[in-house]
Amino acid sequence: MDPDIEAACHELLLRLAGRMPDQLLWRYRDWLGEGAMTTLARTLPRTLLKHNIDLDQPEYRLLVAGLVPHGADWHQVSSTLGVDDVDENRYTFTGTAPDRMNSVDQVSALVHATLRGRPDVGEVRESWRHGDGEPKRVLLITATAGLPRLTGELQRVLRVLGDEEPSVEVMPPRFDLPAYHRAALASSELVCTGAADTGHRLAAA
């Protein structure tokens, strides 16, 4: 896959966190990690329109760069561009896990074992999202390579442990954080660190 196209799609899906329903977003990220670009191009623009999710100009350019080369419907793509500021966040976050069963510790332990000291991974943090049903774990990770595939890998881990709609935010080191990610990071706890020097700490971004 063209790395520029892959990066554009990954950044767009990052920016849709908190705006697109979790049950759809994790699936699109899974498809990207598997390289299913034709499926992604056919369905993502239609989903944005169905759920009234407008894109700003930078997001629209990412959609065009990532999906038009793989056959996205141009009329649907052009209809996703909105006119208002979309950088908003309707959730609150806390760094402390709610009272749950042992699966909470199992997830943290497995993520720690999987990513601690791993090449291409920087910081690994987690936060708990509130505002739409039960509190939800959000993993926040910096990585220098293989971001879509790492996202897919961790999503599968969380699904095996019972999170059917995992929220895994794998970010490049230099990323203009949307409001959703800024809020999540501001109330996050460190899980572990990988071996990559990503240039700064996530929590200070």
Side-chain angles (χ1 to χ4, degrees):
M1 184 190 304
D2 186 317
D4 292 335
I5 290 177
E6 182 181 67
C9 290
H10 183 77
E11 181 174 343
L12 176 60
L13 294 176
L14 276 176
R15 295 184 176 280
L16 291 174
R19 293 157 57 194
M20 177 174 283
D22 294 329
Q23 66 266 30
L24 298 174
L25 185 58
W26 87 263
R27 175 60 70 186
Y28 288 132
R29 289 173 169 174
D30 186 64
W31 286 339
L32 178 60
E34 294 294 325
M37 297 303 300
T38 301
T39 303
L40 195 63
R42 186 177 67 249
T43 57
L44 180 54
R46 185 166 63 241
T47 296
L48 293 170
L49 295 174
K50 179 180 178 180
H51 290 270
N52 297 314
I53 301 172
D54 289 336
L55 304 183
D56 62 17
Q57 284 283 357
E59 293 166 347
Y60 175 74
R61 288 193 291 270
L62 291 170
L63 182 67
V64 171
L67 296 187
V68 169
H70 288 277
D73 182 273
W74 181 253
H75 177 70
Q76 292 179 353
V77 168
S78 62
S79 298
T80 63
L81 181 61
V83 296
D84 298 322
D85 183 8
V86 297
D87 188 24
E88 60 182 19
N89 170 46
R90 60 192 178 93
Y91 296 104
T92 59
F93 295 86
T94 59
T96 304
D99 284 338
R100 288 200 169 185
M101 301 180 67
N102 291 334
S103 59
V104 171
D105 292 333
Q106 291 172 2
V107 170
S108 295
L110 188 52
V111 169
H112 185 280
T114 301
L115 297 182
R116 181 175 180 271
R118 182 161 166 170
D120 301 328
V121 172
E123 279 195 349
V124 181
R125 307 185 73 88
E126 73 175 12
S127 185
W128 290 88
R129 191 183 79 191
H130 307 267
D132 186 13
E134 291 291 320
K136 183 171 186 61
R137 183 196 306 269
V138 178
L139 290 181
L140 303 143
I141 301 146
T142 50
T144 58
L147 279 65
R149 286 171 291 284
L150 179 58
T151 302
E153 175 189 344
L154 294 174
Q155 286 187 156
R156 288 188 287 276
V157 168
L158 266 61
R159 281 176 59 81
V160 167
L161 294 176
D163 187 348
E164 296 184 357
E165 300 168 1
S167 292
V168 179
E169 308 300 314
V170 181
M171 296 166 283
R174 289 165 294 279
F175 178 52
D176 184 14
L177 295 169
Y180 178 90
H181 297 81
R182 292 196 301 270
L185 285 166
S187 299
S188 65
E189 297 289 340
L190 183 67
V191 176
C192 65
T193 57
D197 180 5
T198 56
H200 68 271
R201 296 176 62 85
L202 269 179

